[in-house]
Amino acid sequence: MDKPDLKYDDLVVGSGISGMTMALLLAKSGRKVLLIEKQSAIGGCMRRFKCKGIPFDTGFHFTGGFGGLLSDMLRALGMEQDVRPEFLDDPKTNRIYLENSDSMYEMPSGMDAAGRALKKYFPGEDEAIDQYLQTEEDIERRTPFMDLKKLNTEELFDLMRQLDEDFIPLQQYLDSITADTRLQTVLANVALCYGSPPSVMPLSMHCRAAVGMHKSMARVAVGGDAFINSFKRQAKELNIDIMTGTEISGIAKRSGKTISAVTLSGGATCHFGNCILAIHPRSIISILPEDAVPEATRQAVEKYEESFSFFSLFATIQTERPVSPALTSYLTRDNLNEIISPDSVACAMAILTGVESVGNDKVSVLCAFENEFPGEADRWENAVCRKNDASYQQYKARRADAMVKKIEKVYPEYAGKINVLSTSSTLTFEDYLPPTGSAYGIVHKVGEQNLFGRLPVRNFYAVGQSSLIPGVLGAMLSSFIVGRYLLGRNFITF
Ligand SMILES: Cc1cc2nc3c(=O)[nH]c(=O)nc-3n(C[C@H](O)[C@H](O)[C@H](O)COP(=O)(O)OP(=O)(O)OC[C@H]3O[C@@H](n4cnc5c(N)ncnc54)[C@H](O)[C@@H]3O)c2cc1C
């Protein structure tokens, strides 16, 4: 039987935080929206999974921006009540450990407090520390799209104007303010939250990603589910249609540079005014008709490098009292360029603790993520059943043991109390984060044009973590900017 034709104002492809944000913004201004998702469930990196009934986050774990840009966006989306921060204010709950110098840095929230703490750790570096923190705030202030109110008032061109710092690599800037590689590493540690080495990351982008985290760091109660559940509730109220297990399989109607209908993998034809692609740039290019994409754009996308992926460990901690939400970044070297290099043995691990409710019980949980490049576990890619492959399981057990040893080094109070429930390699990421399994999409580079906003097909747009600023905040912001483009001024109210 023929599938009926579907008709929407807007088709949003990909249901990560950028797709959910886009769908809400459009539907809130009265448009009829269809959101399609390739996987069997919505959420992308915001998804959680349960092991022995205990929920664990897979992607999103912590963020900056509460009390600032993130709170503004959550308010505009009607999510503010549902997404509740658990601040990592106490310096003991936000730490950076450098293994090669056996040094631990406890980082308080707030620019002034962070500055004071850093000056104690790095005597004689006051000027560099002040300069760095001022640069973060200065770039935030000079970036119009980081102020939601300006989205409604400024011309689009002014909103997106470039800064000189867009053309300066972060490493060049760090070298200009200090020769102390430990200080450089502590200042730029946020690079581990976007996976682009300081040698190529634009200073502006780095500061946009870092400033919110230096002002306040927070985990979110019930993690990614807080965003997904809030979205689902509102999607019902706003009549957003959602189709999971669905992707675009072909172009159904095209007139010159405009495509007004596509075929969906379930067989239906979907007609729309706009199509917003909240997916990886490589997937975007594979959807657009070959003749519509200029060769230069195609080549630029082919050249994009992938950020790293993770080997992940999910555990409970057997403690008498529930643990505090906390983050420790464990770096084996004080050199972020080496850590974020596929050829290096240096690596970094994020260790997160928190408490989850399971029925009436509170369970202390620990997740740890060690950077690993897509490809490192490739020898098992074609294993018939990875679960039953002894060498793959040995590899995972070996890595998990090594990670637990490191965790016990920086959390001696948990020694012997960590009960590993599950581990995952880059192969798992490749399965659940199509098409490449990288944690943060592409590496952001000085001089490289990201695929963002209007695409070569006139009514198609790109948003997502690879387009503007990496991380949840940046992915959401990319959708706000394209929302402003599509809906004109005054599309959001506070
Ligand atoms: C392990 C890990 C830890 C992280 N930690 C943090 C953190 O603590 N803080 C932070 O801010 N950020 C973190 N991030 C990054 C953050 O989660 C991402 O930047 C952000 O969630 C990306 O959102 P997105 O919507 O752009 O993409 P995604 O979440 O990747 O969503 C894309 C969606 O599109 C779907 N899709 C792909 N191709 C197609 C297709 N052809 N058709 C239909 N659907 C398709 C995918 O299945 C997916 O659901 C982490 C990421 C990972 C992996």
Side-chain angles (χ1 to χ4, degrees):
M1 206 170 73
D2 278 352
K3 300 261 177 188
D5 278 10
L6 308 169
K7 286 195 176 61
Y8 290 90
D9 293 321
D10 304 301
L11 170 64
V12 179
V13 181
S15 71
I17 190 63
S18 47
M20 291 191 283
T21 301
M22 196 72 247
L24 278 183
L25 286 173
L26 294 167
K28 275 174 185 286
S29 60
R31 299 174 72 88
K32 184 85 190 98
V33 178
L34 172 64
L35 174 67
I36 64 169
E37 166 57 50
K38 188 175 185 163
Q39 304 283 16
S40 57
I42 67 162
C45 291
M46 308 306 277
R47 279 172 68 183
R48 302 187 119 193
F49 79 104
K50 278 192 178 166
C51 187
K52 303 214 161 121
I54 302 164
F56 289 97
D57 281 302
T58 52
F60 169 72
H61 285 85
F62 57 87
T63 183
F66 278 106
L69 179 56
L70 180 62
S71 295
D72 286 348
M73 290 194 287
L74 291 173
R75 203 172 315 130
L77 292 173
M79 284 186 167
E80 204 189 19
Q81 300 302 320
D82 303 319
V83 178
R84 286 175 294 110
E86 294 174 340
F87 287 104
L88 304 178
D89 278 344
D90 180 342
K92 292 207 178 323
T93 63
N94 181 14
R95 308 182 303 169
I96 300 167
Y97 176 70
L98 302 183
E99 188 186 66
N100 62 332
S101 53
D102 190 22
S103 42
M104 180 71 85
Y105 303 91
E106 295 179 348
M107 296 293 295
S109 283
M111 293 312 221
D112 290 346
R116 278 195 301 276
L118 287 168
K119 285 172 192 173
K120 276 197 189 142
Y121 289 124
F122 297 97
E125 293 284 356
D126 290 18
E127 205 179 317
I129 292 162
D130 284 339
Q131 201 178 327
Y132 172 83
L133 293 173
Q134 274 162 20
T135 299
E136 276 191 2
E137 286 194 292
D138 183 47
I139 285 175
E140 181 188 41
R141 191 179 41 77
R142 287 191 289 122
T143 304
F145 61 74
M146 291 192 79
D147 178 350
L148 274 205
K149 292 190 184 72
K150 290 192 177 160
L151 278 189
N152 282 341
T153 54
E154 301 232 337
E155 295 301 327
L156 274 169
F157 178 78
D158 294 331
L159 209 53
M160 300 306 294
R161 70 171 173 262
Q162 294 204 295
L163 306 183
D164 287 347
E165 290 85 349
D166 287 329
F167 304 95
I168 301 171
L170 170 61
Q171 188 62 50
Q172 184 182 318
Y173 171 76
L174 292 170
D175 288 339
S176 75
I177 59 167
T178 177
D180 186 325
T181 55
R182 281 185 304 131
L183 175 58
Q184 289 190 353
T185 306
V186 172
L187 291 176
N189 178 54
V190 170
L192 299 171
C193 303
Y194 54 72
S196 305
S199 57
V200 297
M201 180 71 169
L203 172 61
S204 55
M205 286 272 213
H206 166 80
C207 290
R208 288 165 189 149
V211 67
M213 297 202 201
H214 281 135
K215 284 184 177 171
S216 79
M217 277 282 265
R219 303 206 64 188
V220 168
V222 299
D225 270 355
F227 295 81
I228 296 176
N229 293 340
S230 182
F231 171 76
K232 283 184 178 166
R233 176 180 59 75
Q234 296 197 70
K236 240 188 211 151
E237 288 163 13
L238 295 163
N239 295 319
I240 297 172
D241 286 336
I242 301 170
M243 291 168 80
T244 53
T246 303
E247 55 190 312
I248 292 175
S249 58
I251 306 299
K253 194 165 177 208
R254 175 180 173 188
S255 163
K257 287 228 175 259
T258 303
I259 292 171
S260 54
V262 293
T263 318
L264 301 179
S265 49
T269 300
C270 178
H271 299 258
F272 50 80
N274 301 303
C275 176
I276 300 93
L277 299 159
I279 56 179
H280 194 283
R282 286 184 213 287
S283 303
I284 293 177
I285 290 296
S286 72
I287 287 170
L288 303 181
E290 220 170 304
D291 66 300
V293 183
E295 190 50 30
T297 308
R298 191 175 297 281
Q299 281 181 11
V301 173
E302 267 167 26
K303 269 183 27 204
Y304 288 161
E305 260 178 67
E306 288 303 304
S307 62
F308 52 68
S309 185
F310 287 106
F311 187 94
S312 317
L313 174 155
F314 305 94
T316 52
I317 316 172
Q318 313 299 316
T319 51
E320 305 243 305
R321 297 229 307 267
V323 301
S324 309
L327 162 68
T328 300
S329 303
Y330 186 122
L331 286 67
T332 59
R333 294 287 319 269
D334 54 357
N335 186 325
L336 287 161
N337 290 303
E338 270 187 32
I339 288 173
I340 311 176
S341 155
D343 312 320
S344 171
V345 289
C347 64
M349 173 166 52
I351 306 160
L352 290 129
T353 56
V355 175
E356 295 294 342
S357 297
V358 180
N360 292 328
D361 296 332
K362 298 276 182 215
V363 180
S364 295
V365 298
L366 182 147
C367 304
F369 301 87
E370 196 161 56
N371 65 319
E372 186 180 46
F373 279 85
E376 282 184 48
D378 272 3
R379 48 184 282 223
W380 294 284
E381 194 168 21
N382 298 319
V384 180
C385 175
R386 296 204 295 262
K387 247 192 176 127
N388 295 334
D389 187 303
S391 63
Y392 181 61
Q393 294 308 324
Q394 279 160 14
Y395 158 76
K396 285 177 67 178
R398 225 177 21 250
R399 281 206 72 151
D401 283 350
M403 284 168 76
V404 169
K405 282 200 180 79
K406 286 181 181 170
I407 296 166
E408 289 180 344
K409 187 170 177 184
V410 288
Y411 285 104
E413 64 273 35
Y414 301 154
K417 297 177 180 167
I418 297 169
N419 178 23
V420 178
L421 298 183
S422 181
T423 55
S424 68
S425 77
T426 51
L427 293 178
T428 316
F429 278 82
E430 282 170 35
D431 292 342
Y432 107 104
L433 288 179
T436 65
S438 63
Y440 306 120
I442 65 165
V443 167
H444 295 256
K445 290 186 182 175
V446 167
E448 214 164 65
Q449 194 73 39
N450 293 354
L451 215 52
F452 175 46
R454 202 164 203 178
L455 290 165
V457 171
R458 200 165 280 153
N459 55 334
F460 277 48
Y461 299 84
V463 296
Q465 64 173 344
S466 294
S467 56
L468 186 68
I469 307 171
V472 162
L473 189 138
M476 291 174 77
L477 189 55
S478 71
S479 294
F480 271 80
I481 292 169
V482 169
R484 157 75 171 85
Y485 196 97
L486 288 169
L487 299 168
R489 289 180 192 218
N490 302 317
F491 77 104
I492 42 169
T493 48
F494 289 93

